[in-house]
Amino acid sequence: MEGLDTGTNMNKKNLDALFDPQSIAIVGASATAGKAGYMAVKLLETYAGKVYPVNPKAKEILGHKVYPSLSTIGQPVDLVLFAVPASECPALMREAAGIGARAAIIMGGGFGETGAEGLKIQNELVAISRQYDMRMLGPNTGGYANPVKRLVASFSVSYSKLPPGSIAVVSQSGGISLILACMLENQGFGVSLTVGLGNSVDVDAADVIDYLAQDSNTRAIALYLEGIGDGRRLYESIRRATRIKPVIALTIGRNAIGDFAKSHTGNLVGSYQIKTAAFRQAGAVVVENSNDLVDAACAFSLLRLPPAADPAIGVLVGQAGAGLLILDQLKSLSINVPHLGEATIARIAEQLPPMHYLNNPVDAGRPTPEFPEVLRILAQDDQLHAIVVFVLHEPTVLDPVAMFRELKPQLTKPVIYGTAGETADMAATCRGLVEQGVAPYTSPERTARAMRALAEDARNRQRLSFQDENRPSSQREIRLPPGRIDEATGKDLCRTAGIPAPEFRTCRDRQEAHKTFAELRKPLAVKVLSADILHKTEVGGVFLNIRTADELDNALQKIDRIPAAGSVAYLLEEMAEPGLDLILGGMRDPVFGPVVLLGIGGTIAEAIKDVSMRLAPIQPQDAAEMLQELRAKVLLEGWRGAPPVNRQAVIDAMLAVSDLLVGCPDIQELDINPLRATATGVLALDALIVRA
Amino acid sequence: MEGLDTGTNMNKKNLDALFDPQSIAIVGASATAGKAGYMAVKLLETYAGKVYPVNPKAKEILGHKVYPSLSTIGQPVDLVLFAVPASECPALMREAAGIGARAAIIMGGGFGETGAEGLKIQNELVAISRQYDMRMLGPNTGGYANPVKRLVASFSVSYSKLPPGSIAVVSQSGGISLILACMLENQGFGVSLTVGLGNSVDVDAADVIDYLAQDSNTRAIALYLEGIGDGRRLYESIRRATRIKPVIALTIGRNAIGDFAKSHTGNLVGSYQIKTAAFRQAGAVVVENSNDLVDAACAFSLLRLPPAADPAIGVLVGQAGAGLLILDQLKSLSINVPHLGEATIARIAEQLPPMHYLNNPVDAGRPTPEFPEVLRILAQDDQLHAIVVFVLHEPTVLDPVAMFRELKPQLTKPVIYGTAGETADMAATCRGLVEQGVAPYTSPERTARAMRALAEDARNRQRLSFQDENRPSSQREIRLPPGRIDEATGKDLCRTAGIPAPEFRTCRDRQEAHKTFAELRKPLAVKVLSADILHKTEVGGVFLNIRTADELDNALQKIDRIPAAGSVAYLLEEMAEPGLDLILGGMRDPVFGPVVLLGIGGTIAEAIKDVSMRLAPIQPQDAAEMLQELRAKVLLEGWRGAPPVNRQAVIDAMLAVSDLLVGCPDIQELDINPLRATATGVLALDALIVRA
């Protein structure tokens, strides 16, 4: 498959030894019930492969022969579980490498997350794992469960209780890998794998995602990530995976919680906005909490919508109130709930008594014997991509399991089914629904949000399918001129990249300024030009609407009085026509590399942080999405009688910034603030470039 | 109790006959199994009062003697259930009144929600109910369940399966009253009453809230409302109820869903923002979806925090990842999670091995035998008002039910407990926790959001407790001068109310303008003054920074050229110093009456609708909250080096607008746009008043 390079396949091969080993040795195995080294052996009781407990003193643990050391096993060992203190790990890791083990799981803490001493041990383990091509999970991990193989590589008994299923859970935190798996189990879904990555200094999320993308037991991948090491690698792995199966991502860091996060796995939290932008850009469905993660994963384990630019959703309810909650929720999530076609309405009207709301939602009143037929008709409406149903559970009136069993051959569209009923009734019903390939939800809004996840995935797929024929990026490399970059140089660079700027001149002295004044179209902006002055306005170095020679003199005089470290010149520039001011920028993030930013200009937009981001290089579809993500986007449409902004010109400027960031590694930060956008085009009114 | 007038007590007395009747007659009772009139009789089988089925043909239904008409019952009847077509209702309603029935439930549809004909019948029913002091639930209602009395007044079998409890559900929609009750049951909680109000043309939400405020079986009231009839009455009833017990409110209408909503109960949806502002102002906790409504109700049925300005929450987790999700969620909800005191940290450190994060959250690693002691110590921290705990369920390590049973006598703070585990384990554990007075939740974020509901209620109580000694409102009535109100009159009115405006003069001709020019401090704003011109800027009638007589002439000339229907004058005004522009306004909402609005000025804030609202009259605490609700509120603190805005001056202006709206019923709309706010005070730079 295109996009899966050999590196990826290498990863998968090595990870087989970790997640699907033929044999497992446990160092630190214990005969004392309750100890971690005892639990690790005990939890392997359902495992079909070979188990080799290692302990210098014990003879037998839970019926297994015990080996005094790894070297005395004398049989091939795929995976070694470490249930020993941190300080003992490096020597044992070398011994494991010596007997040809291909993977290790370092459970327990005391490594990089605790300080310098632990970090030293951790670095030693990384060095050994690299030297011997031995993959290492952790340290500071609780291990994993692979219920499909009945394999629990952990000392936590909670991992042993999980039913098999087709959802893979990849979590930075071992605790969350268990919590999510329990939440899935509570909803009647099992996991193909649930793993806590811990400090993830060797095997990281990207490795596991690549592995799971190829794992035939896994239909959906649920991610929980905190801090991220190599953002670009992660992005690429999600990008590869979403081509094959849905990925749902949850992360933290909307608020200042960094101290606590670092204590957990030793990672910095990083920017929430960049993380989620990158996940989305790679095709993942980003969710805001663990419940939405679980709800989306349940739906995706059963179905996935085909690519669609703006999936249209039909809604059918047995209770109008539920329909209102669903409709309000779907619209809040920008989901398209179109009016139904006349033909569909007419056909449904034949099924229902009058007095029902026959549009979208369709209100069936309470379910009647005609309900399945109404659903069938709705699903046949060509414009709809999927259907949301919500019906209060009244088993005497409607058996939803039977309904779907009978409808299945004719049901042409994916359905998300919401219902509410007594606990006792619901368990069997939900199980039955899952067997029919229908994900059940127990509140109107959860039903709607599960559908939103499906729709978002369909949109991502549509966007990414376009990008499979990528626009050629201007790969030519650009070098910044030496020294600090002033506004004039910044604007020249913008122009070279294809972003227009107003007509301007640099003047070294007053005489030159007056000569230039005569040549340019008035009014002018007159600014101080100095690479040493980052904030020209704040030092009183910007004069607008200069129309006369007197006004020019006055401005130049004032500029001359500004204290500046370096050399100062004047920048004279033709004033732009009024329009909407945007902020277009880019920066090099320590985790994700070059990032393009777009925001609305002005203090208010800045105060509410109305900004959208993507990893560079961006594609035209990314740029269009960024515009749509701005909260004040209505201003682009032409506000209070102003004409709409030329979106294509804005998009072209964004692509140019993306090219600049990619082509010119010298740029640490680039700010076009403002980028004046009008009905006809854009102009960079200021450009600030900070060298890397 | 103060605030509960005799009207309220009357309501309660009459509603007893509706919700706790001694005898019930069913018109339209049927002997045919499956019919609504049969189900209504059947569902009364657990009811302890008298049951009188009415049917001209049948002799016996389910063991009850059947009466040919209401008049032939010959016994007192409290409540009559109507299971007959709409057209038959008025005559039967009169007959019910004739035998002294005090309440009626009109089930089924065909009334105001369907059009003119149904509305006519509905109005007739209202007239009869008013004439005979007979309370009517519905029409278009599914009835209710009062599981505490084992009473189901409905034909929907779903109502019969609900366990008793202390949560009352008041829902516009019968379907939602059932869905919410099922969701509560799924979480192990029962209801004291769950009722669908239907078209609520007699008994409305306000009546039921007043009734439930006094109902000793009800500890928390959960509201689901769509459109609202008399907003002020509803507001007052919530205000009375929240003095006594918590109220949680969910409504719809964030998006355009009006068509569908109107088809449901015949009500308009109304403004989501005004509705939720009114609920909050009255002391209710506003939630965004049914899950949060249910989760909050469960917590409130067990506990309520005492009033607190900013409740401080302690967090204790067994898994750091859960702590991160909880912390991020709490901070997103603006909940105060303070650093712990040194003493608390030192005491906890004695209990836990090193390597744990000992602040807030406290990360206990996996639960150990010391876990209960850590919780006890944390709860003893004087600065904390309540504790959130989240622990993966590992029954072999920690039995949470036993922990709370043992801790209870010493646990000085309310606790919300989150956990995750196998379905089979969880059911009994959650039941046991509820018995210990601890509400259990099964995801980190739900645990956090339940705590947010408790904290919000505590804040509301604190705010409202201040308001029990209300600031005297300027009750004096103000009349608008006759005719349309121009800017000068508007500003005079603002000044009279206590809102400063810049020094300005009205000039009838150029000569007067030049004379005035000489007297005022330059620069000036020169504006067209005409009550016929609503948008001065848009017709080119505003000139700023006028410093010279020439500039004045130029402005006056241009103003003279503006076509205007009425008489035109000039307004000359001293320019205000720079500052932050706010929009302060008021309007008379058709549902809620006078409403005060505050927003940030400028197109961007307008584009993102950054505005906060409250019903007038507001109190100083309301005004302060409104400032805090603005998304761009950071601008008030002094943005980019500007000094902070004088908040007290803004609050005073808001209170003045509130007084104006209350004291002057002539005002339909009032817009001070902008209200210039600086470090020293505020100035109304423009004032537009629209007569009612």
Side-chain angles (χ1 to χ4, degrees), chain B residues 72-375:
Chain B
T72 54
I73 294 174
Q75 300 286 331
V77 170
D78 276 352
L79 170 65
V80 181
L81 301 190
F82 284 64
V84 296
S87 60
E88 297 175 22
C89 287
L92 289 166
M93 186 81 169
R94 276 206 185 81
E95 194 178 347
I99 65 162
R102 293 189 293 142
I105 302 180
I106 317 289
M107 302 193 278
F111 299 92
E113 78 284 1
T114 57
E117 204 172 328
L119 185 61
K120 205 180 135 216
I121 299 173
Q122 180 171 296
N123 289 339
E124 211 175 332
L125 293 175
V126 173
I128 300 165
S129 112
R130 295 265 194 280
Q131 185 183 347
Y132 295 99
D133 253 352
M134 193 175 152
R135 304 310 301 268
M136 172 174 66
L137 183 67
N140 191 21
T141 171
Y144 70 80
N146 178 343
V148 177
K149 304 275 175 185
R150 308 186 71 201
L151 165 56
V152 177
S154 175
F155 49 70
S156 170
V157 69
S158 303
Y159 276 117
S160 69
K161 298 180 178 177
L162 302 171
S166 61
I167 299 166
V169 176
V170 182
S171 167
Q172 191 125 19
S173 145
I176 297 293
S177 77
L178 277 166
I179 290 166
L180 292 174
C182 288
M183 289 167 70
L184 286 166
E185 188 265 346
N186 295 167
Q187 283 181 236
F189 288 78
V191 293
S192 57
L193 179 77
T194 186
V195 53
L197 299 172
N199 296 2
S200 56
V201 287
D202 177 45
V203 173
D204 64 6
D207 289 325
V208 182
I209 291 165
D210 277 336
Y211 173 78
L212 292 168
Q214 302 295 318
D215 175 37
S216 60
N217 295 321
T218 298
R219 292 194 63 179
I221 302 171
L223 296 180
Y224 166 73
L225 298 172
E226 295 170 5
I228 288 161
D230 184 339
R232 203 45 80 139
R233 225 171 78 79
L234 177 64
Y235 166 82
E236 296 293 349
S237 73
I238 297 175
R239 180 72 190 81
R240 283 188 291 269
T242 55
R243 280 209 180 84
I244 306 169
K245 55 191 70 171
V247 175
I248 319 109
L250 171 66
T251 186
I252 50 161
R254 257 164 299 192
N255 306 280
I257 57 171
D259 273 12
F260 182 38
K262 189 150 190 293
S263 77
H264 184 204
T265 59
N267 285 303
L268 298 168
V269 174
S271 154
Y272 182 82
Q273 206 179 359
I274 298 183
K275 283 190 284 185
T276 52
F279 297 161
R280 207 172 280 127
Q281 193 173 355
V285 172
V286 175
V287 293
E288 291 194 346
N289 59 58
S290 59
N291 296 92
D292 284 353
L293 184 68
V294 163
D295 281 352
C298 294
F300 281 125
S301 75
L302 296 171
L303 58 100
R304 192 181 194 191
L305 298 194
D310 190 19
I313 307 303
V315 182
L316 169 62
V317 293
Q319 285 73 32
L324 286 167
L325 288 171
I326 287 173
L327 185 63
D328 213 9
Q329 176 76 88
L330 286 174
K331 291 205 167 192
S332 288
L333 298 167
S334 302
I335 298 296
N336 177 16
V337 184
H339 281 279
L340 297 180
E342 292 293 331
T344 302
I345 293 175
R347 289 180 64 199
I348 292 175
E350 288 170 17
Q351 302 296 325
L352 295 176
M355 307 191 326
H356 289 264
Y357 189 79
L358 296 185
N359 209 304
N360 199 3
V362 176
D363 174 16
R366 291 173 64 204
T368 58
E370 292 77 20
F371 195 87
E373 182 59 14
V374 174
L375 173 54

Side-chain angles (χ1 to χ4, degrees), chain A residues 253 290-291 443 445 606 640, chain B residues 290-291 328 443 445 606 640:
Chain A
S290 59
N291 296 91
S443 88
E445 297 92 337
E606 236 180 298
R640 292 274 152 109
Chain B
S290 59
N291 296 92
D328 213 9
S443 88
E445 297 94 336
E606 237 181 297
R640 293 273 153 106

Side-chain angles (χ1 to χ4, degrees), chain A residues 551-603:
Chain A
E551 287 170 357
L552 175 65
D553 264 330
N554 179 40
L556 299 177
Q557 259 173 41
K558 285 184 175 152
I559 288 173
D560 288 346
R561 283 190 221 120
I562 297 170
S567 70
V568 167
Y570 314 116
L571 189 141
L572 273 61
E573 180 171 277
E574 294 180 355
M575 295 277 291
E577 58 178 313
L580 177 67
D581 281 350
L582 302 171
I583 301 175
L584 172 57
M587 58 114 169
R588 227 163 277 280
D589 182 72
V591 174
F592 283 98
V595 172
V596 179
L597 300 95
L598 179 77
I600 301 273
T603 50

Side-chain angles (χ1 to χ4, degrees), chain A residues 2 5 128 150 227 360 476 507 543 586 660 684:
Chain A
E2 192 213 48
D5 57 20
I128 299 164
R150 306 186 72 201
N360 199 4
R476 75 205 151 91
C507 307
F543 300 84
L660 261 177

